[in-house]
């Protein structure tokens, strides 16, 4: 699998990252090397093996449906760059 | 018809748990903004979600109710996108391995039945709310309330089995009735606890290949769902007729104009890069949980309706109205049990009671009037103790005060006199007081019958049972 400049721009866009020309070239090369390295794994035939998403024993950890205290509103908003009227204030979303 | 529409629906139903899907914050609606949030639902670093067991039980119940096969193992996935209503930058959902699949339900349409396939049901967390406009002066900002973030949802995805907006609405109503019967969702479309997106495409009648679909959003009532789908079908037919192409896109319904309009989302908006949620273990539902859910399934609306028609011999219309909610159906059945008169009971519950409840905007659960009191009233009418007309007045007072009918009838002095010996005495006195009229009647002036009835009513202050009066008068006047 080869990584193109277009792939890097696509991923950067999804991650809301603005990259310089220099960075685009740098990451294209780096990502290419990383993927080639991981590609080694596909040399192994895993057609009969279920994907491993966890190595923890397959017991689902549940919690009971009980309400526990939430944060105070001022604490919830404490890290927000902007807040007003109990709400997080963000740049206007235009649809 | 040259064209046919193909419609599939995605329904999001908010589950009626007390706490959120992955944390203990309350799910209560309408609280002050950002007072039901914690480190977990705000997406702070280093926190771990833990799955709410009741949410899983609810989702399993719904799966069973619409004949889905439960996957013994399902996994949660991260659906990645940036939007301010989603503080983590991803929504925890299920993707490749959902909770359940391959279900169906049946709808009544055009006097027949139609089976609608259900592709899958999966669990996910709700997002927060963005507030714009009203009362918000600063037009360069949006305001975010994250109380709803992390509230449990199930998404129910149908097969593209519907062909008209009427079928879509019938399917939605059936689905909502089931959710409400199961008491796992309040079904409120306006408040958004029952939401629907519609995938709509058109094709030439008889064609196999599906046309390009548009996804419709923002329809918060059954009426709007119908309007949006009808508009969209016509819009697509017009495009095809003009040799233009339908574009695959999301379109928002504008209720004030009755149209759908493109959201003009970015081309790449749908690259969600799903991957398994590393913070949550696979969900192993287990036979015990499924068995318990199955045992606690109530009788569902469809089955109840059918049983009412067969067991009580009431018209399908009555059965439909009376089974609209479990509470109403239970109420009606209590009245029937006490009276043994299904149709008469239906008339009172469906006619009078529902009329009064509707005027007050109340549900049967809020009403002071007990089923046993309605049964008493029906019994009194049957015995002739009060007339049907009086009974309606008594009923209104019973409804207002919650008092049993006997006391009201006594206090108002409106008992109907049906006792024949008592009435015979009164009638004897009426006839004795009017010997001349009696003679004229007997010599052929039969129109005077009404005069005697009137006199009898006057003498009893209108409380005489008219049927009984007629009968006794006829006998006595015959001589």
């Amino acid at each position: 699998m080869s990584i193109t400049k277009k792939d890097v721009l696509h991923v950067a866009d999804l991650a809301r990252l603005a990259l310089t020309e220099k960075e685009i070239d740098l990451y294209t090369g780096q990502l290419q090397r990383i993927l080639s390295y991981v590609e080694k794994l596909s040399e192994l035939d895993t057609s009969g093996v279920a994907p491993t998403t966890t190595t923890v024993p397959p017991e689902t950890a549940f919690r009971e449906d009980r309400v526990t205290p939430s944060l105070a509103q001022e604490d919830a908003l404490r890290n927000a760059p902007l807040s007003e009227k109990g709400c997080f204030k963000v740049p206007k979303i235009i649809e | 018809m040259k064209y046919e529409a193909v419609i599939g629906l995605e329904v999001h139903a908010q589950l009626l748990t007390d706490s959120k899907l992955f944390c203990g914050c309350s799910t209560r609606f309408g609280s002050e903004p950002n007072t039901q949030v914690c480190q977990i639902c705000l997406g702070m670093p280093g926190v771990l979600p833990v799955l709410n067991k009741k949410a899983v039980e609810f989702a399993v119940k719904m799966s069973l109710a619409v004949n889905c096969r439960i996957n013994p193992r399902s996994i949660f996935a991260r659906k990645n996108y940036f939007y301010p209503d989603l503080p983590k930058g991803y929504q925890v959902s299920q993707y490749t391995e959902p909770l359940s699949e391959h279900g169906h339900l049946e709808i009544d349409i055009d006097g027949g039945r139609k089976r609608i396939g259900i592709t899958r049901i999966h669990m996910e967390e709700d997002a927060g709310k963005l507030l714009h406009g009203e009362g918000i002066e600063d037009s360069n900002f949006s305001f975010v309330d994250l109380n709803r973030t992390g509230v449990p949802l199930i998404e129910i995805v149908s097969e593209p089995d519907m062909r008209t907006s009427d079928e879509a609405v019938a399917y939605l109503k059936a689905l909502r009735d089931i959710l409400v019967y199961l008491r796992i969702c309040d079904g409120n479309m306006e408040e958004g606890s029952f939401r629907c997106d519609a995938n709509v495409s058109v094709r030439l009648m008889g064609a196999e290949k599906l046309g390009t679909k548009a996804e419709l959003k923002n329809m918060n009532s059954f009426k709007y769902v119908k309007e949006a789908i009808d508009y969209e079908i016509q819009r697509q037919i017009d495009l095809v007729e003009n040799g233009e192409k339908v574009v695959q896109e999301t379109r928002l319904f504008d209720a004030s104009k009755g149209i759908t309009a493109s959201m003009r989302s970015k081309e790449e908006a749908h690259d969600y890069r799903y991957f398994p949620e590393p913070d949550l273990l696979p969900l192993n539902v287990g036979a015990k949980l499924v068995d318990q859910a199955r045992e606690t399934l109530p009788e569902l609306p469809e089955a109840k309706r059918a049983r009412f028609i067969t067991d009580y011999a009431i018209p399908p219309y009555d059965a439909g109205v009376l089974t609209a909610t479990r509470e109403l159906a239970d109420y009606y059945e209590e009245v029937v049990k006490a009276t043994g008169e299904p149709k008469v009971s239906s008339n009172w519950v469906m006619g009078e009671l529902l009329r009064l409840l509707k005027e007050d905007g109340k549900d049967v659960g809020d009403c002071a009037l007990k089923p046993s009191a309605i049964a008493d009233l029906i019994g009194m009418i049957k015995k002739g103790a009060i007339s049907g007309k009086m009974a309606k007045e008594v009923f209104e007072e019973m409804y207002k005060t919650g008092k049993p009918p006997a006391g009201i009838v006594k206090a108002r002095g409106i008992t109907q006199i049906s006792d024949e010996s008592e009435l015979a005495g009164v009638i004897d006195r009426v006839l004795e007081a009017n010997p001349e009229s009696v003679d004229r009647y007997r010599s052929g002036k039969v129109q005077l019958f009404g005069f005697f009835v009137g006199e009898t009513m006057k003498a009893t202050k209108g409380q005489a049972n008219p049927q009984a009066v007629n009968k006794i008068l006829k006998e006595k006047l015959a001589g």
Side-chain angles (χ1 to χ4, degrees):
Chain A
M1 187 177 169
S2 82
I3 289 285
T4 63
K5 221 167 133 174
K6 206 176 141 212
D7 295 325
V8 174
L9 282 171
H10 174 62
V11 174
D13 187 51
L14 289 170
R16 304 288 187 272
L17 294 174
L19 302 181
T20 63
E21 274 304 316
K22 220 178 124 190
E23 285 169 327
I24 295 168
D25 288 338
L26 178 68
Y27 295 146
T28 307
Q30 286 182 345
L31 285 168
Q32 180 62 55
R33 282 196 296 282
I34 293 167
L35 283 182
S36 309
Y37 178 68
V38 176
E39 191 100 317
K40 265 199 180 319
L41 289 174
S42 59
E43 287 168 16
L44 209 62
D45 180 11
T46 56
S47 51
V49 183
T52 305
T53 50
T54 175
T55 52
V56 178
E59 282 298 315
T60 304
F62 287 118
R63 44 173 275 275
E64 294 302 319
D65 180 30
R66 259 195 300 275
V67 175
T68 54
S70 297
L71 292 173
Q73 191 189 56
E74 53 176 297
D75 288 333
L77 297 171
R78 184 152 299 180
N79 292 335
L82 288 170
S83 65
E84 197 181 314
K85 293 173 184 153
C87 289
F88 296 90
K89 198 171 161 187
V90 299
K92 189 168 180 64
I93 306 303
I94 310 150
E95 273 300 353
Chain B
M1 280 294 276
K2 192 174 161 197
Y3 295 94
E4 75 171 354
V6 176
I7 304 161
L9 297 173
E10 291 169 14
V11 167
H12 286 89
Q14 232 176 52
L15 299 178
L16 284 174
T17 54
D18 293 332
S19 66
K20 292 187 179 180
L21 186 54
F22 299 120
C23 65
C25 288
S26 168
T27 56
R28 205 158 67 90
F29 182 82
S31 302
E32 285 295 304
N34 298 304
T35 53
Q36 288 161 197
V37 291
C38 70
Q39 292 86 342
I40 292 173
C41 53
L42 287 176
M44 304 279 182
V47 296
L48 276 179
V50 187
L51 184 59
N52 184 334
K53 190 174 184 191
K54 180 150 273 165
V56 177
E57 288 166 358
F58 283 177
V60 167
K61 273 192 179 182
M62 186 58 186
S63 301
L64 293 172
V66 293
N67 312 291
C68 279
R69 222 163 55 210
I70 314 265
N71 290 325
R73 176 185 186 274
S74 63
I75 58 171
F76 286 97
R78 289 187 181 181
K79 178 180 180 178
N80 299 280
Y81 62 95
F82 288 122
Y83 206 66
D85 63 2
L86 195 75
K88 291 199 290 265
Y90 57 85
Q91 178 193 30
V92 178
S93 180
Q94 296 190 300
Y95 189 55
T96 49
E97 295 172 58
L99 179 75
S100 65
E101 294 170 280
H102 312 298
H104 62 85
L105 63 75
E106 290 197 342
I107 57 169
D108 286 312
I109 198 82
D110 301 329
R113 310 266 294 157
K114 181 168 176 175
R115 177 180 281 207
I116 309 293
I118 290 173
T119 316
R120 56 188 269 152
I121 296 180
H122 69 250
M123 305 185 66
E124 61 185 29
E125 57 179 351
D126 209 345
K129 248 186 203 163
L130 287 176
L131 312 163
H132 329 259
E134 210 180 321
I136 288 164
E137 304 81 29
D138 202 336
S139 61
N140 293 319
F141 293 94
S142 292
F143 291 73
V144 190
D145 172 11
L146 296 177
N147 281 349
R148 205 177 63 184
T149 304
V151 168
L153 299 176
I154 46 175
E155 179 172 337
I156 305 159
V157 183
S158 87
E159 292 288 310
D161 285 349
M162 288 149 278
R163 296 289 171 268
T164 64
S165 59
D166 286 334
E167 289 183 7
V169 170
Y171 165 81
L172 283 178
K173 284 187 173 165
L175 212 54
R176 190 179 73 161
D177 282 354
I178 294 171
L179 286 162
V180 174
Y181 259 60
L182 294 174
R183 297 188 172 138
I184 62 173
C185 172
D186 68 19
N188 190 326
M189 284 183 95
E190 274 167 43
E191 285 179 8
S193 36
F194 182 85
R195 312 196 274 269
C196 161
D197 301 337
N199 290 308
V200 178
S201 63
V202 297
R203 64 182 171 191
L204 280 171
M205 200 59 123
E208 273 199 26
K209 198 167 165 279
L210 291 170
T212 306
K213 69 180 178 187
E215 187 182 11
L216 310 184
K217 285 181 184 283
N218 202 32
M219 305 162 289
N220 65 352
S221 74
F222 291 127
K223 187 171 154 264
Y224 291 161
V225 170
K226 184 171 162 53
E227 280 180 29
I229 291 175
D230 284 339
Y231 176 88
E232 183 61 21
I233 292 172
Q234 196 53 52
R235 187 188 72 88
Q236 293 188 11
I237 290 174
D238 290 347
L239 281 177
V240 176
E241 287 278 284
N242 289 330
E244 292 173 60
K245 277 216 166 79
V246 176
V247 182
Q248 177 154 358
E249 62 182 351
T250 301
R251 299 179 67 85
L252 290 182
F253 179 64
D254 182 338
S256 63
K257 298 193 187 124
I259 62 165
T260 65
S262 175
M263 261 176 79
R264 284 188 297 272
S265 316
K266 274 200 210 151
E267 213 179 305
E268 295 186 309
H270 286 293
D271 190 348
Y272 292 129
R273 294 151 295 145
Y274 283 97
F275 65 87
E277 161 64 283
D279 287 345
L280 285 162
L281 294 172
L283 170 56
N284 297 287
V285 169
K288 196 173 145 213
L289 196 153
V290 176
D291 289 344
Q292 271 171 0
R294 190 176 279 121
E295 278 161 26
T296 55
L297 278 188
E299 183 179 35
L300 295 172
E302 197 50 53
K304 207 182 270 290
R305 210 164 294 149
R307 179 169 64 81
F308 276 25
I309 295 168
T310 340
D311 288 7
Y312 299 140
I314 55 173
Y317 175 79
D318 291 32
V321 174
L322 293 167
T323 55
T325 66
R326 254 169 92 183
E327 290 75 13
L328 181 63
D330 290 350
Y331 192 101
Y332 167 72
E333 289 206 276
E334 274 191 59
V335 179
V336 175
K337 211 193 283 167
T339 59
E341 300 262 7
K343 181 57 189 162
V344 177
S345 302
S346 161
N347 291 346
W348 282 99
V349 173
M350 201 175 75
E352 294 304 301
L353 181 64
L354 286 189
R355 177 178 64 80
L356 292 168
L357 286 171
K358 202 177 165 195
E359 281 174 16
D360 291 352
K362 281 186 179 172
D363 290 326
V364 72
D366 313 322
C367 132
L369 182 51
K370 297 279 161 281
S372 60
I374 297 187
D376 289 347
L377 185 71
I378 293 171
M380 288 170 76
I381 303 166
K382 205 173 163 191
K383 276 191 304 198
I386 52 169
S387 70
K389 196 170 156 246
M390 289 168 182
K392 288 203 177 176
E393 286 170 35
V394 174
F395 190 89
E396 292 208 13
E397 192 168 334
M398 287 162 62
Y399 171 81
K400 279 192 203 111
T401 61
K403 285 183 189 150
I408 295 170
V409 167
K410 207 172 165 198
R412 289 192 167 198
I414 52 172
T415 319
Q416 183 168 262
I417 305 166
S418 296
D419 183 86
E420 294 208 2
S421 61
E422 193 183 340
L423 286 175
V426 176
I427 288 170
D428 282 339
R429 285 194 292 281
V430 167
L431 299 185
E432 271 164 35
N434 299 284
E436 209 177 300
S437 301
V438 174
D439 286 344
R440 282 169 63 205
Y441 178 89
R442 286 191 176 140
S443 58
K445 192 131 178 69
V446 291
Q447 298 95 313
L448 279 167
F449 192 77
F451 164 77
F452 296 116
V453 173
E455 288 300 299
T456 311
M457 283 305 190
K458 219 188 279 170
T460 57
K461 298 193 187 81
Q463 290 178 17
N465 179 333
Q467 284 89 19
V469 171
N470 282 346
K471 181 171 159 261
I472 300 166
L473 262 177
K474 268 195 188 127
E475 287 165 11
K476 299 226 177 245
L477 285 169

